[in-house]
Amino acid sequence: MGLVSLADIRAAAVDIAGVVTRTPLMPTPWDAALWLKPESLQPVGSFKLRGATHAVARLDPAVRLRGVVTHSSGNHGQALAYAARAAGVPCTVVVPEGAPRVKVDRIRALGAEVVLVPPARRLAEAERIVAGTGATLVPPFDDRRIIAGQGTVGLEIVEDLPDVEVVLVPVGGGGLSSGVATAVKGLRPSTAVIGVEPLLAADARESLAVGEVVVWDVERTYRTSADGLRTHLSALTLAHLRERLDGIVTVTEEEIGAAMGRLVRDARLVVEPSAAVAVAARLFRSADLPSGRTVAVVTGGNVDPTLLAQVVTAP
């Protein structure tokens, strides 16, 4: 199966119009060359609504009636539940134990059935449900429809800031970074697209270095507060990133927390740890990044209130 194309992403933009919010580019008061793409402003609080909406839209109507199933730490689950409800489709979300309660509660509030399992069993349980019900599995990132939907973030960035020189995008499973890199490189090949991930879950950097998917065990990746970035790449997303990503940098937990605080206090955005990594790279890893007009993708705002309070009150 080939890589997602710019034409695929443009088709996705048509599919998601009217359901997904076109988020603005926000200038930052502390950095004249930095803009934010606040996907935290989506109806479900994250960029995941883009891919989920596109995936549901592409299902055959007869297939939709049997429902959709996914496995997710929270944001993709919320997004698929929202997209499924809008389309009148049954939805089941397999969630790893330990996911933020705020995300789990919101998935249920959107009408989806939630199944909690140990983290290592999330995919197996989703596949078991699919086999028993005939529902369609909609993966959180390992899917061309998901990648194309997420790529609409990059499409909007270049449309709104045509002379953008650097795009910083978080990397977890690689669906967002694959889509954004595809869109940005297709529209403006000279723009550098840089992935950012937590140092404590830097499997994507290792995968790109060795040229194959490297999987860190859950005990290792669960050390990071950025729960949305604990997932490893797939063969499909690695293929996209190897061809289209210009580099990858890592940030520490302390830097993620500091970036969250900056975003809350100075940009007035409620963000989760995963959403702050791109800004953390700009704040603390600028020496490792290309210079110029930069957009940082702020991926979501579904944060545990206790953690948010700690970040806001930190010195």
Side-chain angles (χ1 to χ4, degrees), residues 156-175:
E156 293 173 10
I157 288 172
V158 178
E159 288 174 354
D160 291 348
L161 189 67
D163 58 353
V164 60
E165 294 170 283
V166 184
V167 175
L168 304 176
V169 57
V171 182

Side-chain angles (χ1 to χ4, degrees), residues 72-79 93 95-96 99-100 103-104 107 122 227 302:
S72 167
S73 64
N75 282 341
H76 176 63
Q78 287 184 68
V93 182
V95 178
K103 296 183 179 182
V104 178
I107 292 171
R122 53 191 272 179
D227 60 284
N302 296 316

